[in-house]
Amino acid sequence: FRVSKAEMHIIEMVPRPLSSILLLGRSGTGKTTVLVFRLFSAWLARYQHSHEHLQAVFVTASATLKEQVSRTFRKLQAAAMTDADDAAAVAAATTRDPDTLVNLSPATFPLFTTTRQWLMLLDASVAEPFFVRGPDGRLAGGGGGADDSEIQDWDGIGLEVDLQGWTDDEGDEYEDEDEQAEDDDDDMDWEAQADAAEADETAAAADGEQQEVVTAAGAAANRQQQKQRIGRRKKRHGDDDDADNQQQQGTGKHWPSREVTYADFVSSGMWSAMTKGLSKDEKARLKAPLVYQEVMSYIKGSAEALEAGGHLSLEQYQDLGRKRAPNFNKDLRPLVYRCYEAYEAHKSLRQPGRGPGWDRADLAAHLYRQLLEGQYRGVRLDGMFRDEVQDFLMAELLLDLKVCHDPNSMFFCGDTCQTIARGVGFRFEEVRTLLYKENERRKGEGVPVGMPQLEVLKVNYRSGLQSCDLGL
């Protein structure tokens, strides 16, 4: 396999002054190929010089792409290692995905993860995790979502796109549901459901002694099963049956199974709750997918949102330029922000034993606070390699700058004309802005953050003559 001169130039590039690299190219131009060989070249240089492994991380939104890149790299790595003991150590360390970055064996690196796996790894490597975890850092039993097998469609290929929330007919459907809910006393809104849930908990607590005996026996059995699932962990401190009270120091309050996704956001039930009280004209001017993008990309998922404590205020949201956030003008943004506040209220409702809901921006904000406070407990990271960077929130890229030893060790590549992630309003100019602001924050620390080196691949190897002729 041979790479072109342009590709080799990027693979071997050492920016001067030091800076990260932003590689752009359409599908089929060789971006992923360049990324894999640049990662391998950096690992090989480190391995040949010091017999150590480059502790870098590859992240992508697609589980399929992650597996393909990992398989290709491991083949190159196996061919380059002549020491049988080293090869055996790498083979043993990479048989399964790690649960935490704390005391992680160097032979595990480079790591290959999806964005969800990466955030989970970071969470398991900070002093105060976001999720409920055991003493060994693993997700507590019954949380759900801890492993790939529980995610039915990681890369979105199986999603059925029905433009939910876009069409005028569907908007009318939401309005009709609102009117029906208001007219029908039997239909409860989400606030009433919360009250009902609290009443159920109170009623359950008031059951007779006979029920308590049965419940205690069942709880004891569940605790024993949980210990067996988690494995050899130290005996838990405390013996409270309430899941929230079972949490020990160094564990969070959220459960992976309570994630609120795009599909939940645009569902008729949640969208109706968010737009309750708006006039028909106001509802007609808002579309659920666009509001979701505003919330996830700007109000909660922007770098400014992390720095503001997890979300922008209405005033800060209003100050965003239309070029950056073009979906809604200043007249409509207060309505969008009202929907965001209703969404947060809906999401924060707790389920017995499962805590409140959460989304990826909540997780990113928590991790950012932990990193700022110096609470990262994992091993040193030498660099981040992200493919299809347009599928990530700016908040997630800011985490990279905080967790890596060298903020100039990023290699991001992407396509300006494609995305598989819903609700991400990505602009490549924002990457440069992100790094510029990080440099301003770090002035005086002695490690300047350079502006990223921008490279573009222009030759498309996937479009043959016949395909081009068909396009014409």
Side-chain angles (χ1 to χ4, degrees):
F1 185 85
R2 295 182 180 179
V3 297
S4 67
K5 290 183 178 179
E7 292 170 331
M8 183 58 72
H9 168 70
I10 300 171
I11 292 170
E12 298 177 340
M13 177 185 298
V14 180
R16 290 286 185 261
L18 291 178
S19 70
S20 298
I21 297 176
L22 181 59
L23 175 61
L24 304 183
R26 296 300 307 276
S27 177
T29 54
K31 302 185 302 296
T32 304
T33 298
V34 170
L35 183 151
V36 171
F37 278 97
R38 182 176 177 84
L39 177 57
F40 175 70
S41 177
W43 170 84
L44 185 61
R46 173 75 63 86
Y47 183 74
Q48 290 179 334
H49 180 262
S50 61
H51 225 57
E52 296 178 350
H53 295 278
L54 181 74
Q55 296 186 174
V57 181
F58 169 86
V59 186
T60 183
S62 168
T64 303
L65 180 58
K66 166 224 167 182
E67 292 299 332
Q68 292 174 341
V69 169
S70 175
R71 188 180 305 115
T72 299
F73 182 91
R74 296 305 179 194
K75 288 180 179 178
L76 294 171
Q77 185 183 42
M81 289 189 298
T82 57
D83 189 307
D85 292 337
D86 285 348
V90 169
T94 57
T95 53
R96 61 180 301 274
D97 293 327
D99 297 309
T100 178
L101 297 170
V102 178
N103 298 324
L104 189 60
S105 168
T108 311
F109 290 95
L111 280 179
F112 297 88
T113 73
T114 63
T115 182
R116 183 185 178 97
Q117 289 173 313
W118 171 238
L119 293 177
M120 290 286 190
L121 275 174
L122 269 184
D123 183 60
S125 309
V126 295
E128 298 180 10
F130 184 77
F131 296 109
V132 178
R133 294 181 180 274
D136 58 0
R138 293 185 182 182
L139 290 170
D147 106 24
D148 295 2
S149 63
E150 299 185 15
I151 306 303
Q152 300 301 317
D153 186 26
W154 274 82
D155 48 19
I157 293 175
L159 289 174
E160 180 179 348
V161 180
D162 58 4
L163 301 182
Q164 187 173 19
W166 285 90
T167 64
D168 292 335
D169 292 341
E170 217 165 278
D172 294 338
E173 180 183 344
Y174 292 150
E175 293 165 8
D176 293 341
E177 290 175 355
D178 290 343
E179 293 171 359
Q180 181 181 358
E182 292 170 1
D183 295 336
D184 190 349
D185 292 336
D186 292 334
D187 290 338
M188 296 187 298
D189 59 18
W190 57 271
E191 292 174 342
Q193 293 176 12
D195 294 338
E198 291 180 3
D200 289 343
E201 291 183 42
T202 303
D207 282 346
E209 294 183 359
Q210 182 177 359
Q211 181 63 31
E212 290 180 3
V213 172
V214 174
T215 301
N222 288 337
R223 286 196 300 272
Q224 182 62 27
Q225 292 175 1
Q226 179 174 328
K227 290 179 181 179
Q228 293 174 352
R229 282 195 304 268
I230 295 175
R232 299 184 184 90
R233 59 169 59 173
K234 294 181 179 179
K235 187 175 182 180
R236 289 181 177 276
H237 299 290
D239 197 329
D240 199 323
D241 290 343
D242 188 344
D244 289 335
N245 293 332
Q246 275 186 357
Q247 298 169 22
Q248 303 163 33
Q249 185 176 7
T251 188
K253 64 179 181 180
H254 296 84
W255 297 82
S257 59
R258 292 280 282 126
E259 181 180 9
V260 179
T261 64
Y262 169 86
D264 299 319
F265 189 99
V266 302
S267 65
S268 59
M270 181 173 280
W271 180 243
S272 295
M274 285 188 285
T275 56
K276 185 177 181 180
L278 300 182
S279 68
K280 288 188 176 181
D281 179 63
E282 289 172 334
K283 292 178 183 178
R285 301 174 72 184
L286 301 177
K287 297 299 180 183
L290 295 181
V291 173
Y292 181 78
Q293 180 174 312
E294 295 291 295
V295 172
M296 296 306 297
S297 291
Y298 311 120
I299 297 177
K300 295 184 66 177
S302 62
E304 295 89 338
L306 292 196
E307 295 162 358
H311 64 86
L312 300 180
S313 66
L314 175 58
E315 292 73 20
Q316 291 171 316
Y317 175 47
Q318 287 275 46
D319 289 340
L320 293 181
R322 281 296 301 277
K323 187 175 181 180
R324 178 180 177 187
N327 293 334
F328 298 98
N329 59 32
K330 288 193 174 183
D331 294 333
L332 289 178
R333 287 186 181 180
L335 297 180
V336 175
Y337 202 85
R338 177 175 171 176
C339 290
Y340 153 70
E341 291 176 324
Y343 163 71
E344 287 297 313
H346 189 114
K347 178 169 61 66
S348 64
L349 295 179
R350 301 173 66 87
Q351 289 184 359
R354 283 295 180 268
W358 62 277
D359 56 38
R360 66 193 279 196
D362 293 326
L363 175 55
H366 176 86
L367 294 174
Y368 181 74
R369 289 191 293 270
Q370 287 288 293
L371 295 176
L372 274 187
E373 295 168 4
Q375 300 301 311
Y376 175 67
R377 299 291 184 261
V379 299
R380 164 177 165 150
L381 298 179
D382 297 322
M384 295 294 298
F385 290 73
R386 285 187 181 264
D387 200 4
E388 306 298 355
V389 70
Q390 70 275 2
D391 292 322
F392 302 105
L393 301 175
M394 282 295 157
E396 294 169 332
L397 302 189
L398 183 56
L399 294 180
D400 293 350
L401 297 175
K402 296 300 183 184
V403 75
C404 281
H405 177 74
D406 181 3
N408 294 307
S409 60
M410 312 295 134
F411 186 86
F412 299 151
C413 58
D415 185 344
T416 58
C417 298
Q418 80 171 24
T419 181
I420 67 170
R422 295 180 174 186
V424 177
F426 191 93
R427 296 174 69 243
F428 283 89
E429 293 85 352
E430 290 302 313
V431 178
R432 296 175 62 85
T433 302
L434 180 72
L435 293 171
Y436 172 79
K437 290 183 177 180
E438 184 66 16
N439 182 57
E440 292 296 306
R441 283 189 291 267
R442 294 192 181 216
K443 279 187 175 180
E445 294 183 9
V447 184
V449 181
M451 293 300 291
Q453 180 82 27
L454 181 62
E455 297 292 330
V456 181
L457 292 174
K458 301 178 180 179
V459 178
N460 194 317
Y461 298 100
R462 211 174 285 168
S463 298
L465 181 60
Q466 294 82 356
S467 299
C468 292
D469 290 340
L470 182 61
L472 299 174

